[in-house]
Amino acid sequence: MSKTKHTKSLVKGVVAALACATAFWNCGNDSAQSNNNVVDGNTASVALKLEYANTPLLDSLVLDCFGADTLHLVHAADDADFGLELFPNDHWNFKAKIYANGNLMQVGELETKLEAGTTVSLNIQMHAIVGFVYIDIPLGLHNDAGIKSGVMKLTTNDEEYTIPMEFTANSGIFKSGSLKLGKTYGISIVLMDEAGQKIYELTDSFDLSEDSPIPNLKLKSLRSQVALAIQAAAEKNLEMSLPLPAGYRKPKAEEILITEYFSAPSTNDTTQYEFVEIYNGSLDTLILDDCSLGITSSSSTKHFPLTVSEIAPSQVLVLGNPNSKNTPPLYVNTDGWQDMGNSKGQVILKCDGVTLDSLYYSSAPDSLHPNVVPAVGSSKYGSSAQLDMSQWQNRKDSSAWTMNTPTPGFL
């Protein structure tokens, strides 16, 4: 990205709404993509995949199978593949459901014949039965715009919905309940400051219909559109505008955070690699030209320059181990690396010689560190430590971190 062009922080909005199914999907035998491979045994091997449009706030994928047996299977939102061993039957019926935002959003159905000793691959095309609106407004960790409340209204010819804004650690969120398809919705959004005065207002409309199954709604940059008005004492009768910070600048403390580190990859998984993840919690693009990552292993600390020049607002950056052949090229963002200690160590992020964030991790507290971030010890190989963003201000405390499957690039 050229430094002559400022990157504005866009307010991300997504309206999730998909086409309404007036009749169930019935592919019949023609939709079965069989590879006709015959295997031993008296069952059929079925690889079944749900085909669906990506929808925010996915909860779960459910598959009910009716035939020679009855099965009820539930998968996590990111697992659309079902592997089954089923008894042969002339009429196997598969009914799939997708739940999102706490509601049943999409359905699909397929019927086919299964013969013993065969391997088949099947796809179920999903269809939406309702839609919903989901809008994520990045506010930054410090909420420089001063937004304290907000209201979204959705209106049709005969209905009106009022949805208050919910706040996370770094954004404001509007999410509706289930909405009927085949309608035009008027939308208005108002954002207010602590005194209840209007900071930002938007009005628009969109269709939830078969012709526009996933309309996108994006709000313009708060930075470029909002002038925060400050009313001085009544006798002075003076108004002045409060400008927001520049859109392209160097980072400050408590704007860029270490959000995940992975110091002990599993020796049984050749795809894993050490990494440190950082997050831009401001609404500006931050310049990283003079930034470095420090890693302590045993008693020595070495700092390595970052090879990426900037990080966009509300984005994460993975600093991976360039010495590992398993590190994806996208994540080789340091000039050098030192192996991280497993049972204890330190991670330091510096810019222009100033420490912007750091953490000390250990398997147990010691005299110098009575409250430590959890380490990835010998019994935790394959797990990374991840910051709970709702507790970012308490990140020096072990309670703000959890250990789980590594998620480089995702908060």
Side-chain angles (χ1 to χ4, degrees):
M1 180 181 295
S2 172
K3 295 183 181 179
T4 61
K5 295 183 179 179
H6 292 180
T7 300
K8 302 294 185 178
S9 66
L10 292 179
V11 177
K12 300 177 183 177
V14 179
V15 177
L18 305 171
C20 181
T22 57
F24 65 80
W25 182 268
N26 189 345
C27 294
N29 292 336
D30 292 339
S31 68
Q33 301 172 6
S34 174
N35 58 17
N36 294 321
N37 291 334
V38 178
V39 296
D40 294 333
N42 59 355
T43 62
S45 297
V46 181
L48 196 147
K49 181 178 179 63
L50 306 189
E51 298 286 351
Y52 60 93
N54 192 23
T55 302
L57 304 181
L58 277 176
D59 297 324
S60 61
L61 312 179
V62 177
L63 178 66
D64 290 309
C65 312
F66 305 96
D69 199 356
T70 300
L71 302 174
H72 177 76
L73 305 172
V74 180
H75 277 196
D78 59 351
D79 185 6
D81 297 311
F82 293 80
L84 307 169
E85 291 288 333
L86 300 176
F87 292 111
N89 193 284
D90 288 343
H91 299 287
W92 269 104
N93 185 256
F94 303 98
K95 294 185 178 181
K97 300 175 183 178
I98 292 180
Y99 291 85
N101 195 26
N103 298 294
L104 175 61
M105 305 299 299
Q106 302 180 42
V107 297
E109 187 170 349
L110 181 147
E111 186 171 322
T112 190
K113 176 181 179 180
L114 295 180
E115 297 180 353
T118 59
T119 300
V120 296
S121 295
L122 305 173
N123 292 335
I124 296 183
Q125 184 66 47
M126 305 299 294
H127 298 268
I129 55 176
V130 292
F132 71 95
V133 175
Y134 177 82
I135 301 176
D136 185 349
I137 304 176
L139 302 178
L141 293 173
H142 301 281
N143 192 3
D144 293 329
I147 295 171
K148 298 299 183 181
S149 63
V151 174
M152 176 176 72
K153 289 189 176 181
L154 302 173
T155 58
T156 65
N157 290 335
D158 53 0
E159 294 176 307
E160 179 174 310
Y161 307 88
T162 300
I163 299 103
M165 175 184 280
E166 301 176 16
F167 287 88
T168 68
N170 53 2
S171 63
I173 292 174
F174 291 111
K175 55 181 180 180
S176 73
S178 298
L179 300 174
K180 297 177 182 178
L181 299 178
K183 287 179 173 285
T184 297
Y185 289 83
I187 181 172
S188 68
I189 293 176
V190 176
L191 307 180
M192 292 161 286
D193 62 15
E194 191 168 14
Q197 297 198 0
K198 188 185 302 181
I199 292 178
Y200 184 86
E201 184 174 20
L202 171 143
T203 58
D204 208 335
S205 64
F206 59 90
D207 295 326
L208 293 188
S209 68
E210 203 166 333
D211 294 331
S212 56
I214 313 177
N216 289 323
L217 177 66
K218 290 184 180 290
L219 305 185
K220 293 182 179 179
S221 169
L222 286 176
R223 184 177 308 290
S224 63
Q225 295 294 318
V226 178
L228 300 180
I230 297 180
Q231 184 75 41
E235 60 270 19
K236 294 184 179 180
N237 194 27
L238 172 68
E239 285 191 4
M240 59 184 180
S241 96
L242 176 66
L244 294 173
Y248 190 81
R249 58 180 175 82
K250 292 189 175 183
K252 302 175 184 177
E254 295 208 327
E255 288 186 335
I256 189 166
L257 307 179
I258 299 168
T259 52
E260 183 177 359
Y261 64 90
F262 189 27
S263 61
S266 172
T267 56
N268 297 323
D269 189 341
T270 58
T271 66
Q272 294 186 350
Y273 52 91
E274 293 183 350
F275 70 84
V276 174
E277 178 189 85
I278 62 176
Y279 168 69
N280 178 1
S282 77
L283 295 180
D284 299 318
T285 294
L286 300 179
I287 302 170
L288 304 178
D289 288 348
D290 297 310
C291 297
S292 64
L293 178 70
I295 297 176
T296 299
S297 179
S298 300
S299 59
S300 63
T301 300
K302 292 184 179 180
H303 286 264
F304 306 100
L306 306 192
T307 57
V308 62
S309 61
E310 61 190 40
I311 179 172
S314 302
Q315 296 298 306
V316 293
L317 176 66
V318 177
L319 310 175
N321 179 2
N323 301 327
S324 171
K325 63 182 181 180
N326 301 326
T327 306
L330 175 67
Y331 296 155
V332 180
N333 293 316
T334 61
D335 186 10
W337 194 265
Q338 172 175 286
D339 288 342
M340 303 174 70
N342 290 344
S343 61
K344 63 180 179 179
Q346 190 171 21
V347 181
I348 304 170
L349 179 65
K350 284 188 175 183
C351 292
D352 292 322
V354 177
T355 298
L356 299 187
D357 199 20
S358 66
L359 61 86
Y360 177 83
Y361 62 91
S362 177
S363 56
D366 55 44
S367 58
L368 295 178
H369 307 92
N371 194 353
V372 296
V373 175
V376 184
S378 58
S379 62
K380 293 289 187 179
Y381 282 109
S383 297
S384 69
Q386 303 167 20
L387 176 63
D388 178 354
M389 289 303 296
S390 67
Q391 298 191 56
W392 72 270
Q393 292 176 305
N394 192 37
R395 62 191 182 280
K396 302 300 183 183
D397 193 289
S398 60
S399 63
W401 295 80
T402 59
M403 296 179 63
N404 213 324
T405 302
T407 59
F410 299 91
L411 285 181

